Amino acid sequence: MNQSDEPRRRFVHSGGVDLAVFEQGDPTAPTLLLVHGYPDTHRVWDEVAAELAADHHVVRYDVRGAGQSGVPDSREGYRLAQLAADLFAVADAVSPDRPVHVVAHDWGSLQSWEAVTEPGAERRIASYTTMSGPCLDHMGHWIRHRLRRPTPRHLKQLLVQGAHSWYITAFHLPVLAPAAWRLGLARAWPRVLRDLEHVEPRPGHPQASLKKDAVRGIELYRANMRPTLRHPRERPTEVPVQLITLRRDRYVNAFLSEGLERWVPDLTRRQLNATHWSALLQRAPAVAGMVREFTARVEAGAPAAPTGPLVVVTGAGSGIGRATALAFAERERATVVVCDLDLAAAERTADLVGLLGGTGHAYRVDVSDGPAVTAFAQTVAAAHGVPDVLVNNAGIGHSGTFLQTTEKEWQRVLDVNLWGVIHGCKAFGSLMAERGQGGHIVNLASAAAYLPSKALAAYATSKAAVLMLSECLGAELAGAGIGVSAICPGIVNTNITRSSTFSGLTEQQQAAQQAKFSKLYARRNFPPEKVAEEILAAVRSGKPLVPVTVEAKAARLVGRAWPGLLRRLARLGVG
Amino acid sequence: MAFAYSDRDLETFREVQQLAYRCAEQVAAWIEPGVTERQATARLRRSLVGAGVTDFFHVPFAWFGDRTAFRHFHTPLQFFAGGRVLQEGMPFVLDCAPVVDGYTADIGYGGKVGENQVWDRLAQDLKVYRDLILREVKARKPLNEIYAAVDAQIAAHGYDNRHQVYPGRVIGHQVTRNTSRAPAGVNLFGFGLRTLQTLGRELITERLHGRSPLWADGRSSRHAPTPGLWAVEPHIGFRDTGIKFEELLVVTEDDAYWLDDDLPHVRRWTTTTEAVAG
């Protein structure tokens, strides 16, 4: 940081204490107010502020009790109402005529929520970007809702979040918590951050005053947690909110924001592959980018961008691919980019996506053609952005024993079913990893992946390879916050049977076989929509392997418990 | 089998079909949020009887909301009008089959109250099926193959074929001039007594010829379209919205045509096309 970028310091008086306020950048530009969390000071924002100061008036302050700001006399002084008043006082001082854009992290986020949900806050706050800190009132309602409807999922959420919030309980223990900070935790803090948060210490962080800040800041928890959670108020807001969910946050879980739309009509959801602190200290450009984009949108008065994820589905002209595209549109208002060899069919899917409330775009792509898939990925990235979800669905059916299957047939099946997935994972996976906001890749394998059959030599081989590819890729991309799921549907009523090929048969016999299998699959009548549901669930839960139909689940079970039986069945040529 | 109807007969069939559609349009214009299916069918029946209808091939039906897509239909009883209340944005289907002097019409009328984008799209796409069926029948393809072609088109559109929920999965059935002497206006299982008598007789005669008066996807429909009048009702659905048309198709020994092109759904396509062209 050179001298000219050095923040200008001044003090703002609020509620009996002087708050140390630091300003950077052009004061005539839109004002960004950055609010830090516990046990930090304004210095935690150094990198983010430097990025944003280029085109914004960036203002930070040490919250009461921290850094260079004054210390309140009693616990009362740490109440949320007072913290919100501080925020408004600073905003009034640095930008008296224009509403400010608030960006907050951790406890800063909790206290900013208090300000943002004040009636009439939209007159002073133009937008709010929040990370790792829910509104305590919203959270109180969140807990109540789950206690009232204790479904297994809700109970699990309560337990998981409870376990992650152990320190909040610890902070309520008298003597112990301050003593822990005084007697060594403050000294060990850099190591804790390095080992758990993957954050390297640097000048200003952890700050020299950490021990004092941490001990005083305990009052934030003690003054606010219990009263607010016990008697949550109704706190809606008109302010546009951008919620950045940190995928590897140890303290705040993503599901805490479920149903936030109830309180925030103008909500934009973003994700970042980062830990609680690495978001600010290691991923500053990414955070600054999101803030800049959101602020610009609000300043321009543009309507909220579609909040759903960006999803790419291959082979989406029919069957499971189409059903998946539609499910994402219907459930998540996704922008869905669909591709298929049959452009008209893909366009039709895109149309239906639009009908269901999503946005659809169609392309003609042959997934077995590597350069074409790479070009497709580049086009998608340029026109729509890097996808959050990729569904490698395109595939073909083929039946024949090993000796019957010609080399050409092997080639074709592997080209589409295996290389198609490889090309897709490579082209989009690298974009997703590069962007660093996490994501999910879904590969359509098959129950044939683990169910040997002498009649499906090439097909089963290609699908088994897809399954293993997904497992390996999952291990590789876990660090990048990208989940990988392999879906094994089983017998599903789609037109894969109508286009399947059979080794060693004349055209007429082929047609007869296709008709026979189509009928069999139609009689089983398992709709592709149900597979689509499982795919959405896999993306949500990150489940790595999903057998869908009963037969797929049974085969998986038998294959693990009694593989000899499957081998015997394989000889019969079932499949 | 030879084509049995004179021009005068066809003219009368057309008049009855017009009458049926006119009554359906009246009810559709009257319908509004808060009305139940039963109220709508009662109104439809009154309006038909008022127009001179003496008997019904089957009782009038009305389906609202997701019932237009026959979702969660498990028993034939669910076809009868129920207490479902119409709400803003809901689609509806009115189906009636009046008989006047033995001349039968069987029509299906799809509508919506307020805005419903999905319905608009389905209503527009319905034209494809009307054209497709006529083309295939003219080509004298076997009925089961035409059925399969319609289903393939539905799949290509990304919709569901809801006619497979009808009893026997029929997409159409033959209509003849009703000559039964059974008492008029008496219903059994939703069908007029005269209908049942005629239908039973036809089922037997047609079966003797290896044909069926019912048009479905099975073995008994594996023959070229039989000359005569067919009430055809392709029914498509997408999510919770369903729509169908039903009208008479004239099949002669060597040709086929829709009995009447002056019908609400056909007029809707013409106005939409003109609007797009203009």
Side-chain angles (χ1 to χ4, degrees), chain A residues 329-382:
Chain A
E330 200 171 26
R331 293 292 174 83
E332 313 206 341
R333 306 210 157 255
T335 300
V336 191
V337 178
V338 298
C339 74
D340 201 287
L341 258 184
D342 180 349
L343 181 61
E347 279 170 343
R348 178 77 200 178
T349 305
D351 272 5
L352 296 176
V353 161
L355 267 188
L356 291 179
T359 314
H361 306 278
Y363 294 87
R364 186 192 174 281
V365 177
D366 177 357
V367 293
S368 67
D369 179 350
V373 176
T374 311
F376 172 54
Q378 298 302 337
T379 311
V380 171

Coordinates of all heavy atoms in Angstrom, one line a residue, chain A residues 329-382:
Chain A
A329 N -35.4 -25.5 -14.2 CA -36.2 -24.2 -14.5 C -37.3 -24.1 -13.5 O -37.5 -23.0 -12.9 CB -36.7 -24.3 -15.9
E330 N -38.0 -25.1 -13.2 CA -39.2 -25.1 -12.4 C -38.9 -24.9 -11.0 O -39.5 -24.1 -10.3 CB -40.0 -26.4 -12.6 CG -41.4 -26.3 -12.2 CD -42.2 -27.6 -12.7 OE1 -41.5 -28.7 -12.8 OE2 -43.4 -27.5 -12.9
R331 N -37.9 -25.6 -10.5 CA -37.6 -25.6 -9.1 C -36.7 -24.4 -8.7 O -36.8 -23.9 -7.6 CB -36.9 -26.9 -8.6 CG -37.8 -28.1 -8.7 CD -38.9 -28.0 -7.7 NE -39.8 -29.0 -7.8 CZ -39.6 -30.2 -7.3 NH1 -38.5 -30.5 -6.6 NH2 -40.5 -31.2 -7.4
E332 N -35.7 -24.1 -9.5 CA -34.7 -23.1 -9.1 C -34.6 -21.9 -10.0 O -33.7 -21.1 -9.9 CB -33.3 -23.8 -9.1 CG -33.5 -25.2 -8.4 CD -32.2 -25.6 -7.7 OE1 -31.1 -25.1 -8.1 OE2 -32.2 -26.5 -6.8
R333 N -35.6 -21.7 -10.9 CA -35.6 -20.6 -11.8 C -34.2 -20.4 -12.5 O -33.7 -19.3 -12.6 CB -36.0 -19.3 -11.1 CG -37.3 -19.4 -10.4 CD -38.0 -18.1 -10.3 NE -39.5 -18.4 -10.1 CZ -40.4 -18.3 -11.1 NH1 -40.1 -17.9 -12.2 NH2 -41.6 -18.6 -10.8
A334 N -33.7 -21.6 -12.9 CA -32.3 -21.6 -13.4 C -32.3 -21.0 -14.8 O -33.3 -21.0 -15.5 CB -31.8 -23.0 -13.4
T335 N -31.1 -20.5 -15.2 CA -30.8 -20.3 -16.6 C -30.2 -21.6 -17.1 O -29.2 -22.1 -16.5 CB -29.8 -19.2 -16.7 OG1 -30.3 -18.0 -16.1 CG2 -29.4 -18.9 -18.2
V336 N -30.8 -22.2 -18.1 CA -30.4 -23.5 -18.5 C -29.9 -23.5 -19.9 O -30.6 -23.0 -20.8 CB -31.5 -24.6 -18.4 CG1 -31.0 -26.0 -18.6 CG2 -32.2 -24.5 -17.1
V337 N -28.6 -23.9 -20.1 CA -28.1 -23.9 -21.5 C -28.2 -25.4 -21.9 O -27.6 -26.3 -21.2 CB -26.6 -23.5 -21.5 CG1 -26.0 -23.6 -22.9 CG2 -26.5 -22.0 -21.0
V338 N -28.9 -25.7 -22.9 CA -29.1 -27.1 -23.3 C -28.4 -27.3 -24.6 O -28.3 -26.4 -25.5 CB -30.6 -27.5 -23.4 CG1 -31.2 -27.3 -22.0 CG2 -31.3 -26.7 -24.4
C339 N -27.9 -28.5 -24.8 CA -27.3 -28.9 -26.1 C -27.7 -30.3 -26.5 O -28.1 -31.1 -25.6 CB -25.8 -28.7 -26.1 SG -24.9 -30.0 -25.3
D340 N -27.8 -30.5 -27.8 CA -28.2 -31.8 -28.3 C -27.7 -31.9 -29.7 O -27.4 -30.9 -30.3 CB -29.7 -32.0 -28.2 CG -30.1 -33.4 -28.2 OD1 -30.0 -34.1 -29.3 OD2 -30.5 -33.9 -27.2
L341 N -27.5 -33.1 -30.2 CA -27.2 -33.3 -31.6 C -28.4 -32.7 -32.5 O -28.1 -32.2 -33.5 CB -27.0 -34.8 -31.9 CG -25.6 -35.3 -32.1 CD1 -25.7 -36.8 -32.5 CD2 -24.8 -34.5 -33.1
D342 N -29.6 -32.9 -31.9 CA -30.8 -32.5 -32.6 C -31.1 -31.1 -32.2 O -31.7 -30.9 -31.1 CB -31.9 -33.5 -32.3 CG -33.2 -33.1 -33.0 OD1 -33.3 -32.0 -33.5 OD2 -34.1 -33.9 -33.0
L343 N -30.7 -30.1 -33.0 CA -30.9 -28.7 -32.5 C -32.4 -28.3 -32.3 O -32.7 -27.6 -31.3 CB -30.3 -27.7 -33.5 CG -30.4 -26.2 -33.2 CD1 -29.7 -25.9 -31.8 CD2 -29.9 -25.3 -34.3
A344 N -33.3 -28.8 -33.2 CA -34.7 -28.5 -33.0 C -35.2 -29.0 -31.7 O -36.0 -28.3 -31.0 CB -35.5 -29.1 -34.1
A345 N -34.8 -30.2 -31.3 CA -35.2 -30.8 -30.0 C -34.7 -29.9 -28.8 O -35.4 -29.7 -27.9 CB -34.8 -32.2 -29.9
A346 N -33.4 -29.5 -29.0 CA -32.8 -28.7 -27.9 C -33.5 -27.4 -27.8 O -33.8 -26.9 -26.7 CB -31.3 -28.4 -28.2
E347 N -33.9 -26.8 -28.9 CA -34.6 -25.5 -28.9 C -36.0 -25.6 -28.3 O -36.4 -24.8 -27.5 CB -34.8 -25.0 -30.3 CG -33.5 -24.3 -30.8 CD -33.5 -23.9 -32.3 OE1 -34.3 -24.5 -33.0 OE2 -32.7 -23.1 -32.7
R348 N -36.6 -26.8 -28.5 CA -37.9 -27.0 -27.9 C -37.7 -27.1 -26.4 O -38.5 -26.5 -25.6 CB -38.4 -28.4 -28.4 CG -39.7 -28.8 -27.8 CD -40.9 -28.1 -28.5 NE -42.0 -28.1 -27.6 CZ -43.2 -27.6 -27.8 NH1 -43.4 -26.8 -28.9 NH2 -44.2 -27.7 -27.0
T349 N -36.7 -27.8 -25.9 CA -36.4 -27.8 -24.5 C -36.2 -26.4 -23.9 O -36.8 -26.1 -22.9 CB -35.2 -28.7 -24.2 OG1 -35.4 -30.0 -24.8 CG2 -35.0 -28.9 -22.7
A350 N -35.4 -25.6 -24.6 CA -35.2 -24.2 -24.2 C -36.5 -23.5 -24.1 O -36.7 -22.7 -23.1 CB -34.2 -23.6 -25.1
D351 N -37.4 -23.7 -25.0 CA -38.7 -23.0 -25.0 C -39.5 -23.4 -23.7 O -40.1 -22.6 -23.1 CB -39.6 -23.5 -26.2 CG -39.3 -22.7 -27.4 OD1 -38.4 -21.8 -27.3 OD2 -40.0 -22.9 -28.4
L352 N -39.5 -24.7 -23.5 CA -40.2 -25.2 -22.3 C -39.6 -24.7 -21.0 O -40.3 -24.4 -20.0 CB -40.3 -26.7 -22.3 CG -41.0 -27.4 -23.5 CD1 -40.9 -28.9 -23.4 CD2 -42.5 -27.0 -23.5
V353 N -38.3 -24.5 -21.0 CA -37.6 -24.0 -19.8 C -38.2 -22.6 -19.6 O -38.5 -22.2 -18.4 CB -36.1 -23.9 -20.1 CG1 -35.4 -23.0 -19.1 CG2 -35.5 -25.3 -19.9
G354 N -38.3 -21.8 -20.7 CA -38.9 -20.4 -20.5 C -40.3 -20.5 -20.0 O -40.7 -19.6 -19.2
L355 N -41.1 -21.4 -20.5 CA -42.5 -21.5 -20.0 C -42.6 -21.8 -18.5 O -43.5 -21.4 -17.8 CB -43.2 -22.7 -20.7 CG -43.9 -22.5 -22.0 CD1 -44.7 -23.7 -22.4 CD2 -44.9 -21.3 -21.8
L356 N -41.5 -22.5 -18.0 CA -41.6 -22.9 -16.6 C -40.9 -21.9 -15.6 O -40.6 -22.1 -14.5 CB -41.0 -24.3 -16.4 CG -41.8 -25.4 -17.0 CD1 -41.1 -26.7 -16.8 CD2 -43.2 -25.5 -16.4
G357 N -40.5 -20.7 -16.2 CA -40.0 -19.7 -15.3 C -38.5 -19.6 -15.4 O -37.9 -18.7 -14.7
G358 N -37.8 -20.4 -16.1 CA -36.4 -20.3 -16.3 C -36.0 -19.5 -17.5 O -36.9 -18.9 -18.2
T359 N -34.7 -19.5 -17.9 CA -34.3 -19.0 -19.1 C -33.5 -20.0 -19.9 O -32.6 -20.6 -19.3 CB -33.3 -17.8 -18.9 OG1 -33.9 -17.0 -17.9 CG2 -33.2 -17.0 -20.1
G360 N -33.9 -20.3 -21.1 CA -33.3 -21.4 -21.8 C -32.5 -20.9 -23.1 O -32.9 -20.0 -23.7
H361 N -31.4 -21.6 -23.3 CA -30.6 -21.3 -24.5 C -30.2 -22.7 -25.1 O -29.8 -23.6 -24.4 CB -29.3 -20.5 -24.2 CG -29.6 -19.3 -23.4 ND1 -30.0 -18.1 -24.0 CD2 -29.6 -19.0 -22.1 CE1 -30.2 -17.2 -23.1 NE2 -29.9 -17.7 -21.9
A362 N -30.4 -22.8 -26.5 CA -30.1 -24.1 -27.1 C -28.9 -24.0 -28.0 O -28.7 -23.0 -28.7 CB -31.3 -24.5 -27.8
Y363 N -28.1 -25.1 -28.0 CA -27.0 -25.2 -29.0 C -26.9 -26.6 -29.5 O -27.4 -27.6 -28.9 CB -25.7 -25.0 -28.2 CG -25.5 -23.5 -27.7 CD1 -26.0 -23.2 -26.5 CD2 -24.9 -22.6 -28.5 CE1 -25.9 -21.9 -26.0 CE2 -24.8 -21.3 -28.0 CZ -25.3 -20.9 -26.8 OH -25.2 -19.6 -26.3
R364 N -26.4 -26.7 -30.7 CA -26.2 -28.1 -31.3 C -24.7 -28.4 -31.0 O -23.8 -27.8 -31.4 CB -26.4 -28.0 -32.8 CG -26.3 -29.4 -33.4 CD -26.2 -29.4 -34.9 NE -26.0 -30.8 -35.4 CZ -24.8 -31.4 -35.3 NH1 -23.8 -30.8 -34.9 NH2 -24.7 -32.7 -35.7
V365 N -24.5 -29.5 -30.3 CA -23.2 -30.0 -29.9 C -23.1 -31.5 -30.0 O -24.0 -32.2 -29.6 CB -22.8 -29.5 -28.5 CG1 -21.4 -30.1 -28.1 CG2 -22.8 -28.0 -28.3
D366 N -22.0 -32.0 -30.7 CA -21.7 -33.4 -30.7 C -20.7 -33.6 -29.5 O -19.5 -33.2 -29.7 CB -21.1 -33.8 -32.0 CG -20.7 -35.3 -32.1 OD1 -20.9 -35.9 -31.0 OD2 -20.3 -35.7 -33.1
V367 N -21.1 -34.3 -28.4 CA -20.3 -34.3 -27.3 C -19.0 -35.2 -27.5 O -18.0 -35.1 -26.8 CB -21.0 -34.9 -26.0 CG1 -22.0 -33.9 -25.5 CG2 -21.6 -36.2 -26.3
S368 N -19.1 -36.1 -28.6 CA -17.9 -36.9 -28.8 C -16.8 -36.2 -29.5 O -15.7 -36.7 -29.7 CB -18.4 -38.1 -29.7 OG -18.7 -37.7 -30.9
D369 N -17.1 -35.0 -29.9 CA -16.1 -34.1 -30.6 C -15.5 -33.1 -29.6 O -16.0 -32.1 -29.2 CB -16.9 -33.4 -31.7 CG -16.0 -32.5 -32.5 OD1 -14.8 -32.2 -32.1 OD2 -16.4 -31.9 -33.6
G370 N -14.3 -33.5 -29.2 CA -13.6 -32.7 -28.1 C -13.5 -31.2 -28.4 O -13.9 -30.4 -27.6
P371 N -12.9 -30.8 -29.6 CA -12.8 -29.4 -29.8 C -14.1 -28.7 -29.9 O -14.2 -27.5 -29.4 CB -12.1 -29.4 -31.2 CG -11.4 -30.7 -31.4 CD -12.2 -31.7 -30.6
A372 N -15.2 -29.4 -30.3 CA -16.5 -28.8 -30.4 C -17.0 -28.5 -29.0 O -17.6 -27.5 -28.7 CB -17.5 -29.7 -31.1
V373 N -16.7 -29.4 -28.0 CA -17.2 -29.2 -26.7 C -16.4 -28.1 -26.0 O -17.0 -27.3 -25.3 CB -17.1 -30.5 -25.8 CG1 -17.4 -30.3 -24.4 CG2 -17.9 -31.6 -26.4
T374 N -15.1 -28.0 -26.3 CA -14.3 -26.9 -25.7 C -14.8 -25.6 -26.3 O -15.0 -24.6 -25.5 CB -12.8 -27.1 -26.2 OG1 -12.4 -28.4 -25.9 CG2 -11.9 -26.1 -25.4
A375 N -15.1 -25.6 -27.6 CA -15.6 -24.3 -28.1 C -17.0 -24.0 -27.5 O -17.3 -22.8 -27.2 CB -15.8 -24.5 -29.7
F376 N -17.8 -25.0 -27.3 CA -19.1 -24.8 -26.7 C -18.9 -24.2 -25.3 O -19.6 -23.2 -24.9 CB -19.8 -26.2 -26.6 CG -21.1 -26.2 -25.8 CD1 -22.1 -25.3 -26.1 CD2 -21.3 -27.1 -24.8 CE1 -23.3 -25.3 -25.4 CE2 -22.5 -27.1 -24.1 CZ -23.5 -26.2 -24.4
A377 N -18.0 -24.7 -24.5 CA -17.8 -24.2 -23.1 C -17.3 -22.8 -23.2 O -17.8 -21.9 -22.4 CB -16.7 -25.1 -22.4
Q378 N -16.5 -22.4 -24.2 CA -16.0 -21.0 -24.3 C -17.2 -20.1 -24.6 O -17.4 -19.0 -24.1 CB -15.0 -20.9 -25.4 CG -13.7 -21.7 -25.1 CD -13.0 -21.3 -23.8 OE1 -13.2 -20.2 -23.3 NE2 -12.2 -22.2 -23.2
T379 N -18.1 -20.6 -25.5 CA -19.2 -19.8 -25.9 C -20.1 -19.6 -24.7 O -20.6 -18.5 -24.5 CB -20.0 -20.6 -27.0 OG1 -19.1 -21.0 -28.0 CG2 -21.1 -19.7 -27.6
V380 N -20.4 -20.7 -24.0 CA -21.3 -20.5 -22.8 C -20.7 -19.6 -21.8 O -21.4 -18.7 -21.3 CB -21.5 -21.9 -22.2 CG1 -22.2 -21.8 -20.8 CG2 -22.2 -22.9 -23.1
A381 N -19.4 -19.7 -21.6 CA -18.7 -18.8 -20.6 C -18.8 -17.3 -21.0 O -19.1 -16.5 -20.2 CB -17.3 -19.2 -20.4
A382 N -18.6 -17.1 -22.3 CA -18.7 -15.7 -22.8 C -20.1 -15.2 -22.8 O -20.3 -14.0 -22.4 CB -18.1 -15.7 -24.2

